[in-house]
Amino acid sequence: AEAESLRNIQTWEAKDGRSSTFRFQVAENGATVKAYHGNIQFADDGTGIATYEAGEVSTFDLPRGTLLSTAHTLALLKSAAAHEKFLSRLVIDGSFDEGPFWITAAIAPSHEGNISLTKDRPGPLSEGRYWPVGMAYFPASSDQTTPEYEISQNLLGTGITQSMLQDFGGFTLAFKPVRMEPVSAPPC
């Protein structure tokens, strides 16, 4: 019998990288089986707290140096541009209810070229060099020696992921952007 499983994650990060809110929901065959929401706040000293709400409230203390997703992507790009081969950081974004994850990344040398988003025409955001990156995700709350899951991706210098494989061990998900469009700045 076929089963449909939908995962929806919505995150908003402050531009200063000091706060984030998130919502997560899993629906199987149309019925919600898991849902939570929360927020992440960092203090001036770099420590923080993540609060998850799903009926009950759970909190995670975040040590100095914990990154949100955007800061992690920027750290990956900085390491890649400096020809560094490895990066390991504690990251939190609300996408899993275990709290923060240690993400260990292996960064391959860059490749030049356009990444076509349509058969004959590359998109304006898909040009330039990119780095193949492999990342292993370890829950910070666990001592396990094998990753909870792994991601392989081609990361463009713009921070956009050209393609991604997410391997959970028992199954793998493949992602590829269909269309990229620049967003105009809102009038302020």
Side-chain angles (χ1 to χ4, degrees):
E2 276 191 34
E4 180 180 71
S5 180
L6 299 174
R7 294 176 181 266
N8 183 10
I9 176 87
Q10 299 171 354
T11 62
W12 299 268
E13 289 185 30
K15 283 188 177 187
D16 65 6
R18 295 185 52 187
S19 64
S20 176
T21 59
F22 55 87
R23 294 189 173 281
F24 181 83
Q25 182 180 40
V26 176
E28 293 179 358
N29 298 320
T32 300
V33 295
K34 184 179 200 176
Y36 60 84
H37 65 277
N39 62 69
I40 301 161
Q41 292 290 140
F42 289 102
D44 289 340
D45 68 0
T47 63
I49 190 162
T51 304
Y52 287 65
E53 295 183 42
E56 295 182 19
V57 176
S58 301
T59 60
F60 296 92
D61 291 325
L62 305 172
R64 182 173 311 156
T66 304
L67 301 177
L68 295 173
S69 292
T70 299
H72 183 250
T73 299
L74 293 173
L76 277 171
L77 290 170
K78 183 177 179 183
S79 292
H83 306 287
E84 295 173 4
K85 294 181 176 150
F86 297 100
L87 176 72
S88 184
R89 293 288 190 273
L90 188 61
V91 180
I92 188 162
D93 65 5
S95 61
F96 289 91
D97 56 3
E98 294 105 327
F101 274 73
W102 280 104
I103 302 176
T104 301
I107 307 164
S110 68
H111 298 273
E112 288 290 334
N114 293 332
I115 299 168
S116 292
L117 298 179
T118 62
K119 187 174 181 179
D120 300 316
R121 196 178 101 239
L125 300 176
S126 66
E127 299 172 342
R129 69 180 161 165
Y130 63 94
W131 291 268
V133 177
M135 296 183 288
Y137 287 68
F138 299 87
S141 60
S142 170
D143 290 332
Q144 69 188 53
T145 57
T146 56
E148 179 101 355
Y149 64 97
E150 296 177 60
I151 290 179
S152 299
Q153 65 180 348
N154 288 330
L155 183 64
L156 290 158
T158 57
I160 295 171
T161 298
Q162 177 265 341
S163 63
M164 181 188 315
L165 288 175
Q166 193 168 10
D167 186 348
F168 289 93
F171 65 97
T172 300
L173 302 174
F175 303 89
K176 187 163 184 153
V178 175
R179 183 180 76 229
M180 290 186 212
E181 299 174 6
V183 177
S184 301
C188 294

